[in-house]
Amino acid sequence: MKHFRLSKHLNHHASEDLRYTRMFPYLWAAAALLAGLGFLMDTPANILAGLKTIISVESSLITDYVLLAGPGAALVNAALVTAISICVLYFSHDILNGMTLVVLGLMAGFSLFGKNFVNIWPILLGSWLYSKLRHESFGPYANIGLMATALSPVVTYAALHNGWGNPLVAAILGVIIGFIMPPLAAYTYRIQNGMNLYNVGFACGLVAFITVPLISSMGATPSTQYRWASGYDVPFALFLGGTCMLLIFSGFFRCRKPAWAVWAGYRLLLQTSGRAPSDYLRMFGPGPVLVNMGVNGLIGTAFILLAGGDLNGPTIGGILTIMGFSAFGKHARNMVPVMLGVTLGGMVLHWNINDPAVQLAILFCTTLAPISGYFGWPYGVLAGFLHSSVVLYTGSPVAGMNLYNNGFSGGLIAIVLYPCILAIARHRRPQIRTDSYFDNLEQDAPVEPTNHEELVEDDLCPVNPQNKYKKAPYE
């Protein structure tokens, strides 16, 4: 009997450790959906030719694969990169949680305008080597390695025959980038105090600010690109709208919870600040998160269409990024004020709201959603207004080599706004957070949401150590 109880106890904990492994079939279904749509929009011959074009052309911002290689090839490339990412997470034994959905949203989205199934490998290898140096499992570093592929245009640039570099130089550069990114991301996470959700984007921006001048001093001449597709609004709107409605339906009726409980969980999710780390999957369970993803995707699509923008590779990438971060900090109440701030900038500043870079800013400015959620919507509008101008200038010094340019701009604004708002408006002394970046990626145990109004500077993390293993009410 004693051995039976011990076995039952071990099996119970094993099932908890694998709490979200049932996500894998759905992740593969998402990759299949992208591939299926790609083959519906183009012929296999054109898709194959388009994939060859994608891997043989520089991928700096803004390089829309839909324009460059056709919608079919762009979507199939996104499916391939998504499949590679799933395999990396699976074979590294990464613990699945809300960050998993963030990473998959980023990888799928940016595979439409910068990442491809070839240029991501050296950076992943570098992060793997870093884990080996520390004699640790690659699991906790897999997310960072995948997100660090924001600098994959550096690899592509160095590998192509452009008068500078070669495939060996490209591989070395990629490995170095992947190797230094985990410790750098852990540091930048602390100084931003959870106010910039695209923390790795800020870290990548810092690396790009060193790498691009360095290779330029060696004879390289990288430059920004402006390849922007138009004319695909109808098919992409149908795809995004249908996907979002499917997510909302699945959240309410396919998550083994009553619809009223899912709705209650979603309403509670809307009360959170979104300050990182806010793992909504662990805090509220899959139902409210799926509803949140669907609602946020519809909001992003509506903003682009109402602004007179285009649904293409970059904007769909931005919408998929919003949907991914709907599991880790973004919701309608904290991101809409920031988006309105960018829209306000388009009305009073000397640029148009439907300019390509501004369309991306409308979507990716939601990296500053925690400022709105934590300090209130007026500060969110202010953050978006500032971001709308800053982001237009941060990409030029790095020649578009950092795909997460909005994350870098958001980091700068967060670092400036957070202490100013706290000291001037709240009369409190700002403190740099001390909790570890990787600790937030290594658990799948449910946590109870914390009221952001009760947080103090010495308690920045919404995970309460006393109840972090306690079952959440909607799990």
Side-chain angles (χ1 to χ4, degrees):
M1 179 64 69
K2 181 177 180 180
H3 291 290
F4 172 76
R5 290 178 178 174
L6 178 61
S7 176
K8 184 177 180 181
H9 178 73
L10 293 175
N11 288 336
H12 172 71
H13 282 280
S15 64
E16 286 193 346
D17 291 340
L18 302 175
R19 183 179 305 276
Y20 298 121
T21 52
R22 60 181 180 270
M23 288 169 51
F24 275 116
Y26 299 100
L27 299 180
W28 282 112
L33 177 63
L34 291 170
L37 181 63
F39 280 101
L40 282 176
M41 297 188 71
D42 212 337
T43 64
N46 288 339
I47 289 174
L48 182 60
L51 290 175
K52 292 180 180 179
T53 301
I54 285 174
I55 64 176
S56 60
V57 174
E58 294 180 25
S59 301
S60 57
L61 283 176
I62 303 172
T63 302
D64 187 348
Y65 288 161
V66 173
L67 176 66
L68 185 69
L75 289 166
V76 171
N77 178 65
L80 290 172
V81 173
T82 302
I84 291 170
S85 304
I86 296 171
C87 290
V88 169
L89 295 174
Y90 179 81
F91 290 109
S92 67
H93 305 290
D94 177 56
I95 295 177
L96 303 188
N97 46 38
M99 182 56 70
T100 306
L101 298 179
V102 168
V103 171
L104 268 294
L106 280 171
M107 297 303 289
F110 281 88
S111 299
L112 297 171
F113 68 115
K115 299 181 183 181
N116 60 59
F117 59 95
V118 174
N119 65 11
I120 62 176
W121 287 107
I123 297 175
L124 290 173
L125 176 60
S127 296
W128 178 81
L129 290 175
Y130 177 81
S131 70
K132 299 298 113 179
L133 174 71
R134 295 183 59 87
H135 304 288
E136 296 176 5
S137 169
F138 181 52
Y141 301 101
N143 290 295
I144 307 299
L146 289 167
M147 289 188 286
T149 55
L151 292 171
S152 56
V154 176
V155 177
T156 301
Y157 176 82
L160 296 177
H161 299 289
N162 50 29
W164 185 90
N166 53 59
L168 178 60
V169 172
I172 293 173
L173 278 174
V175 169
I176 293 174
I177 289 171
F179 190 84
I180 66 176
M181 195 55 63
L184 180 60
Y187 178 76
T188 57
Y189 165 76
R190 297 181 180 184
I191 63 175
Q192 295 171 93
N193 285 286
M195 291 296 158
N196 176 31
L197 293 177
Y198 302 164
N199 168 57
V200 176
F202 180 68
C204 288
L206 295 177
V207 173
F209 260 85
I210 296 174
T211 303
V212 172
L214 182 62
I215 64 175
S216 297
S217 300
M218 297 177 180
T221 57
S223 60
T224 56
Q225 305 291 332
Y226 293 98
R227 298 185 175 102
W228 187 266
S230 60
Y232 296 95
D233 290 356
V234 173
F236 285 147
L238 292 174
F239 164 66
L240 291 170
T243 301
C244 291
M245 295 305 298
L246 178 62
L247 289 171
I248 295 173
F249 176 84
S250 300
F252 276 118
F253 302 109
R254 302 294 297 174
C255 290
R256 302 178 183 178
K257 294 292 181 182
W260 65 264
V262 173
W263 175 247
Y266 177 64
R267 291 180 60 189
L268 188 59
L269 184 152
L270 292 175
Q271 304 302 315
T272 63
S273 69
R275 187 177 186 177
S278 293
D279 190 337
Y280 289 156
L281 187 61
R282 294 168 58 202
M283 293 165 68
F284 301 102
V289 167
L290 289 174
V291 173
N292 193 41
M293 292 174 68
V295 171
N296 291 352
L298 292 175
I299 291 174
T301 305
F303 260 87
I304 291 298
L305 294 178
L306 292 176
D310 302 297
L311 289 178
N312 52 25
T315 55
I316 292 177
I319 293 168
L320 291 178
T321 299
I322 288 177
M323 293 169 68
F325 272 94
S326 299
F328 209 87
K330 294 183 183 180
H331 56 72
R333 289 188 62 181
N334 67 3
M335 72 179 195
V336 168
V338 189
M339 300 172 81
L340 291 176
V342 175
T343 306
L344 177 63
M347 297 178 181
V348 301
L349 299 177
H350 296 287
W351 39 260
N352 295 320
I353 194 66
N354 57 1
D355 289 344
V358 182
Q359 291 183 48
L360 293 183
I362 290 177
L363 298 172
F364 289 109
C365 72
T366 52
T367 183
L368 295 168
I371 291 181
S372 175
Y374 190 75
F375 292 113
W377 68 265
Y379 294 105
V381 174
L382 173 62
F385 183 83
L386 295 175
H387 180 82
S388 66
S389 292
V390 174
V391 73
L392 299 181
Y393 293 91
T394 53
S396 298
V398 298
M401 290 296 172
N402 176 25
L403 295 176
Y404 302 165
N405 180 48
N406 281 264
F408 180 67
S409 170
L412 295 175
I413 293 172
I415 291 173
V416 172
L417 276 187
Y418 175 76
C420 291
I421 296 173
L422 202 64
I424 297 173
R426 299 296 176 90
H427 305 289
R428 293 167 62 184
R429 178 177 298 177
Q431 298 181 17
I432 294 179
R433 65 191 313 150
T434 59
D435 52 315
S436 172
Y437 184 68
F438 296 103
D439 287 347
N440 304 306
L441 309 179
E442 295 179 329
Q443 294 188 33
D444 65 349
V447 293
E448 290 191 5
T450 301
N451 187 343
H452 70 277
E453 295 178 354
E454 299 174 356
L455 291 176
V456 295
E457 291 309 295
D458 292 328
D459 183 25
L460 297 177
C461 180
V463 179
N464 188 343
Q466 279 71 35
N467 63 9
K468 66 179 179 178
Y469 297 106
K470 190 174 180 180
K471 195 173 183 63
Y474 303 102
E475 177 64 8

